[in-house]
Amino acid sequence: MTEAHDGSHRARLAALGWAHFLNDGAANFLPGVLPLILIDLNLSVGLAGSIMGALLIGQGLQPFVGLVADRLGGRALIAAGLLGSSLGGALIGWVDGIVSLVVVLVIIGISNSLFHPQALAGVRRLAVHRPGGAMSAFLVGGEIGRGVWPALASALAVGLGRGHLWLMMLPGLATVPLVLRAAPRLPARRADAPRLNWRRNARPLALLVGYCALRGLMIFSLVTFMPLIWVEAGGDVTVGASLLTVLLVVGVVGNLSGGWFADRFGTRRILMATMAMAAVLLGLFTQAAGVWLWLICAALGIVLFATLPLTILVAQDLLPENRSLGSGLALGLANALGAVGVMAVGPLAQWWDVRAPLWCAAIGGLIAMLLVLRMPRRASA
């Protein structure tokens, strides 16, 4: 690969990372304004998990989108996903009831599903020689977006009113033409391509998706209930949203270091060690106060996101002819299952204590460790 060609690929990867920042920011700033929405719409805190679940459940479509993306090729789904996420995020500012809110959140979830499978496969296609580093860099864009946008949305809603959230869609709309130029045009799946060997891959994929789903339960429980815990304790809404920024932005360290540690100690050990640390830290978070909340929140971001690029690469390697599908299983389907888990434990916040869902998520982390032990070694190489 020539230096100019390599530089062109880096520029295109940077453009995809920027699009990921905008897409995930627009699709995930809800937690930053969720306390305000609950007050504006006169909704109980027990519905917080169900509201977040409505946003995230649409990600379960990612495997199906991945199948379509592998069959059709191209790059149109990436642009369509960014466009839909941006428009849906703007509509959050105008909802006036639980029904309209859920409809908007489902639209955002579907748009998010359109974006990711083809984008992840495109990153892998551009980064032939260093897929781990490229995947980590791409995912960093999304994590920073998910971390920064809740704080921005909260500040905007508090300062100007929830109706001004439409301003946050403008960068995404302006970036759609860039995506259509920078994203690689993926080849369509050949008619004579080998069929999926589900019998051989079903068990490792199921264990991998289960692990990712329990990791998603931990992340989504934190994202949903951390601001509510802060506000219930008398804290400011904007500061509560800043806790999310710490969790997700400091999680970039995990994104970038997870592959490095996996290369030296093995993927299986990293999957086990990070989940054990996350379960312990999550338990400590429920008892912490003051500066310890911020420090534990930062540590949780590092350990929870360290395995994200690893699990996507494992899924793509299990399905090398259907990488969009593999990405959709490890990211989208797993996140949807994690969202179902948040919906299930959400009522505990009202019936018992607002911290109760976090305890359930910590137990899920311990179960995820057991799943790693049962993974075939080829699935976590």
Side-chain angles (χ1 to χ4, degrees), residues 155-376:
L156 185 62
V158 171
L160 298 178
R162 186 162 57 91
H164 286 79
L165 289 175
W166 66 269
L167 293 170
M168 302 190 71
M169 77 174 178
L170 299 179
L173 297 183
T175 301
V176 169
L178 173 64
V179 168
L180 291 173
R181 291 196 302 270
R185 191 181 298 277
L186 299 172
R189 179 177 168 81
R190 303 190 317 273
D192 60 345
R195 292 187 176 184
L196 291 173
N197 191 337
W198 287 111
R199 179 175 296 180
R200 181 172 68 93
N201 293 318
R203 181 170 177 268
L205 280 172
L207 292 168
L208 180 66
V209 169
Y211 177 92
C212 295
L214 291 168
R215 179 186 62 200
L217 172 62
M218 300 176 82
I219 294 172
F220 299 149
S221 295
L222 275 168
V223 167
T224 302
F225 294 102
M226 192 161 39
L228 298 175
I229 290 171
W230 184 265
V231 172
E232 186 184 71
D236 181 76
V237 172
T238 305
V239 178
S242 298
L243 276 169
L244 297 180
T245 302
V246 171
L247 173 75
L248 298 168
V249 172
V250 177
V252 168
V253 176
N255 275 143
L256 295 175
S257 61
W260 186 88
F261 282 108
D263 288 341
R264 282 148 185 81
F265 302 107
T267 299
R268 179 185 292 265
R269 291 180 179 176
I270 297 303
L271 294 178
M272 286 280 292
T274 53
M275 196 56 76
M277 289 187 285
V280 172
L281 287 168
L282 200 52
L284 291 174
F285 182 85
T286 64
Q287 306 301 311
V291 69
W292 286 106
L293 273 175
W294 299 87
L295 295 176
I296 295 173
C297 187
L300 275 167
I302 293 172
V303 298
L304 283 172
F305 291 106
T307 59
L308 190 58
L310 304 181
T311 50
I312 291 174
L313 290 172
V314 169
Q316 289 181 342
D317 288 339
L318 286 171
L319 300 173
E321 297 296 326
N322 295 81
R323 285 175 173 166
S324 295
L325 172 60
S327 304
L329 289 170
L331 187 65
L333 178 59
N335 282 349
L337 293 173
V340 171
V342 172
M343 294 172 71
V345 302
L348 295 176
Q350 184 174 5
W351 297 340
W352 185 10
D353 182 81
V354 74
R355 293 171 177 79
L358 300 187
W359 281 109
C360 295
I363 295 171
L366 299 178
I367 296 173
M369 294 173 60
L370 300 178
L371 297 182
V372 176
L373 292 175
R374 298 185 62 84
M375 282 186 190

Side-chain angles (χ1 to χ4, degrees), residues 3-25:
E3 183 176 346
H5 191 55
D6 192 41
S8 171
H9 277 200
R10 283 198 296 268
R12 295 172 74 183
L13 284 167
L16 283 175
W18 168 248
H20 196 198
F21 167 81
L22 296 174
N23 178 83
D24 281 25

Side-chain angles (χ1 to χ4, degrees), residues 24-44:
D24 281 25
N28 293 281
F29 69 70
L30 174 66
V33 296
L34 185 55
L36 292 176
I37 290 176
L38 294 177
I39 294 171
D40 286 351
L41 304 184
N42 195 28
L43 303 174
S44 73

